[in-house]
Amino acid sequence: MKTVVLKFGGTSVGSVDRIKKVAKIILSYRKRKNHVIVASSAMSGVTNDLINKSKQISKNFDKAEYDTLLSSGEQVACSLIAGRLKHLGYNSRSWISWQIPIITDGPHSNSRIYKIDTKKIINFMKSGGIPIITGFQGLNFASRITTLGRGGTDASAIMLAKFFKADECIIYTDVDGVYTADPRTHSKAKKINKISYDEMLEMASLGAKVMQPASVQDAKINSIDIKVQSSFIKKNGTLITDAKKVFSDQIITGISSTKNDSKVTIIGVKDRPGVAASIFKPLSRNFINVDMVVQNISADGKQTDLTFTIKSNDLNKTKKIINKNKNNVFKKLIFDKNVSKVSIIGVGMITTPGVTFRMFQALARKNINIQVISTSEIKISVLIKSTNASKAVKCLHKEFKLDK
Ligand code: ADP
Ligand code: ASP
Ligand code: MG
């Protein structure tokens, strides 16, 4: 008997009607004599609503309570799915992560699953049960509920597949696969049949919301193949797998863009060893992720300007930290929230010369000014004015022949 893990995202369980459809999908696997393990997200909008409520209660809402609050949305969706399966005459029940338990480590709101006790679920499945498990959460060593970061039900599904040694892990979502660009905002985006973990990880980290980045990392480490497909329409989806199993003659596999980056420029910092470290140390201590960094060459050998990007919701904290840091002497701090990072991603660029030039030339032709650049072996990112982001994705999609 095969074991399949099915994950349903927020839109897929977004209404009572959708939940009835999800129950049908679950039963289609069950009727093919599979053991089925389901991980569900909260109904769409619920987690955002809980976040807003916590903000109204306190600007410094307690971290442990925040996770307890946010995890509650998944409980509702799971009991509705299990209730529907029972209504249809099947043996099913909801499992809240602490009832299993699913053990996590790491900080609240950004924990990672490291162990799942399989005993109770295996017994339940042996008795013919279909477990419906709350995604996005677990329990830490202090027996407090933790959450896995936004979109974390993807990680729950992958770790369930790992611990239950599942034959298949299917991410059901509201698009029918991973596309060359966000299909909701770019009409020429094309579905990718197979993509490597590394490319998917870059696409997800650089803004393609379809998979949570940490979950792709978990899948890569544990060699778990992921199928991404639609819960709305029956169509082949995308397989995320090892690079050895992916063949493509494209130079660029996909294009991602972000909406929530901010640019910070510190003007007139001293140009001497240790200055950049003294700026970034307190930021890292406060878990602020610094992304693209550029330091200008100092004209007089005395002073320089330092520019970097952070997530916009870290902006206020970053301002405070830089202004409070007595080791920093500088002339002026400048912030810009209206920036987007647009990235081209593909293993093909390793063996193809001239990709950087083509990207810059295509943007220049559209009069798009590049503010900051960062590269890795399989991606090139540029920071541009956010009002140009969609135009940039469109022209790069065409330039690298993804429109066809
Ligand atoms: P779920 O609620 O099922 O977890 P998400 O909203 O997290 O779904 O992710 C699906 C969304 O990801 C799609 O609706 C789509 O707009 C967005 N997306 C962004 N980039 C891509 C891409 N390259 N391919 C597919 N979807 C993408
Ligand atoms: N409900 C959570 C969120 O909105 C987790 C998830 O959807 O995967 O982020
Ligand atoms: Mg998601």
Side-chain angles (χ1 to χ4, degrees):
M1 214 172 182
K2 264 173 52 171
T3 301
V4 294
V5 170
L6 309 179
K7 178 255 169 172
F8 294 96
T11 323
S12 301
V13 295
S15 66
V16 166
D17 268 355
R18 290 300 320 157
I19 285 180
K20 288 180 181 170
K21 297 224 165 69
V22 159
K24 276 194 185 151
I25 296 176
I26 296 170
L27 291 179
S28 72
Y29 286 89
R30 175 49 178 260
K31 284 172 188 158
R32 280 177 263 153
K33 306 259 177 288
N34 294 296
H35 279 309
V36 187
I37 300 172
V38 175
S40 182
S41 300
M43 296 169 84
S44 55
V46 169
T47 311
N48 285 345
D49 186 45
L50 294 168
I51 292 173
N52 286 337
K53 288 199 168 80
S54 77
K55 283 184 184 155
Q56 288 169 42
I57 292 287
S58 165
K59 280 209 172 95
N60 292 311
F61 200 88
D62 180 80
K63 288 188 171 69
E65 288 309 329
Y66 184 81
D67 278 3
T68 307
L69 175 72
L70 260 58
S71 70
S72 65
E74 273 64 17
Q75 180 167 338
V76 174
C78 287
S79 53
L80 289 172
I81 299 171
R84 182 65 185 173
L85 292 171
K86 292 208 89 164
H87 167 84
L88 296 170
Y90 288 83
N91 179 10
S92 180
R93 64 158 277 197
S94 58
W95 288 86
I96 318 305
S97 52
W98 58 265
Q99 295 171 323
I100 300 176
I102 292 175
I103 308 295
T104 62
D105 63 6
H108 274 290
S109 298
N110 205 13
S111 289
R112 301 286 283 256
I113 294 174
Y114 93 92
K115 191 169 169 267
I116 299 178
D117 196 334
T118 55
K119 253 183 297 170
K120 290 182 206 159
I121 298 287
I122 286 177
N123 285 339
F124 180 60
M125 289 197 295
K126 276 186 183 156
S127 71
I130 307 172
I132 316 294
I133 299 172
T134 52
F136 177 53
Q137 58 200 274
L139 199 66
N140 68 12
F141 282 109
S143 292
R144 295 301 307 253
I145 290 174
T146 56
T147 59
L148 311 178
R150 296 307 305 268
T153 307
D154 295 335
S156 306
I158 279 135
M159 294 312 263
L160 286 166
K162 169 189 157 99
F163 283 96
F164 287 94
K165 300 189 173 60
D167 301 278
E168 265 193 285
C169 178
I170 304 175
I171 304 289
Y172 274 103
T173 182
D174 56 6
V175 281
D176 63 339
V178 179
Y179 277 69
T180 50
D182 186 344
R184 297 214 182 279
T185 50
H186 190 70
S187 60
K188 296 224 164 109
K190 298 280 174 310
K191 189 160 57 184
I192 303 168
N193 293 327
K194 278 189 196 176
I195 183 169
S196 67
Y197 295 122
D198 289 329
E199 288 174 314
M200 188 66 238
L201 187 55
E202 291 282 13
M203 279 188 68
S205 311
L206 295 165
K209 194 182 165 219
V210 63
M211 287 297 299
Q212 189 211 30
S215 76
V216 182
Q217 227 171 15
D218 288 337
K220 183 185 172 183
I221 293 167
N222 297 294
S223 299
I224 291 165
D225 281 0
I226 310 167
K227 276 189 191 161
V228 179
Q229 58 193 62
S230 167
S231 67
F232 290 73
I233 42 165
K234 222 174 164 181
K235 261 191 175 176
N236 283 339
T238 298
L239 180 69
I240 307 169
T241 187
D242 193 90
K244 282 188 221 114
K245 297 188 214 157
V246 182
F247 305 98
S248 162
D249 52 9
Q250 293 281 11
I251 303 168
I252 297 305
T253 304
I255 304 175
S256 291
S257 68
T258 61
K259 288 196 192 85
N260 51 358
D261 285 307
S262 282
K263 184 177 74 167
V264 180
T265 305
I266 314 181
I267 297 189
V269 289
K270 288 221 171 82
D271 191 17
R272 59 171 165 74
V275 168
S278 85
I279 291 169
F280 292 134
K281 192 170 162 189
L283 296 179
S284 85
R285 283 214 173 127
N286 283 280
F287 301 105
I288 293 171
N289 211 353
V290 173
D291 183 19
M292 309 169 101
V293 183
V294 273
Q295 183 178 322
N296 289 347
I297 294 170
S298 128
D300 57 3
K302 287 180 191 153
Q303 283 190 344
T304 183
D305 305 335
L306 191 70
T307 297
F308 56 91
T309 61
I310 48 166
K311 290 285 157 238
S312 292
N313 50 12
D314 285 331
L315 187 55
N316 285 338
K317 216 160 135 193
T318 302
K319 280 185 199 172
K320 271 191 208 141
I321 292 170
I322 294 174
N323 282 321
K324 235 176 49 192
N325 187 348
K326 295 210 170 60
N327 298 323
N328 289 344
V329 182
F330 57 86
K331 280 193 184 142
K332 208 169 153 194
L333 255 186
I334 305 175
F335 304 94
D336 187 355
K337 271 186 151 185
N338 301 315
V339 288
S340 268
K341 186 167 56 168
V342 173
S343 311
I344 56 172
I345 297 117
V347 286
M349 71 173 74
I350 300 175
T351 48
T352 316
V355 177
T356 315
F357 160 73
R358 274 175 70 184
M359 180 183 196
F360 295 174
Q361 190 184 52
L363 294 172
R365 276 198 203 113
K366 293 282 165 198
N367 227 352
I368 297 171
N369 188 37
I370 301 172
Q371 303 181 15
V372 186
I373 302 159
S374 78
T375 62
S376 80
E377 219 183 6
I378 63 164
K379 73 116 206 277
I380 306 167
S381 301
V382 293
L383 194 73
I384 58 174
K385 248 195 346 211
S386 47
T387 45
N388 280 332
S390 143
K391 192 161 77 172
V393 172
K394 203 170 161 189
C395 83
L396 294 171
H397 204 268
K398 188 165 176 218
E399 171 67 31
F400 290 101
K401 307 206 172 355
L402 297 173
D403 280 2
K404 286 199 255 172

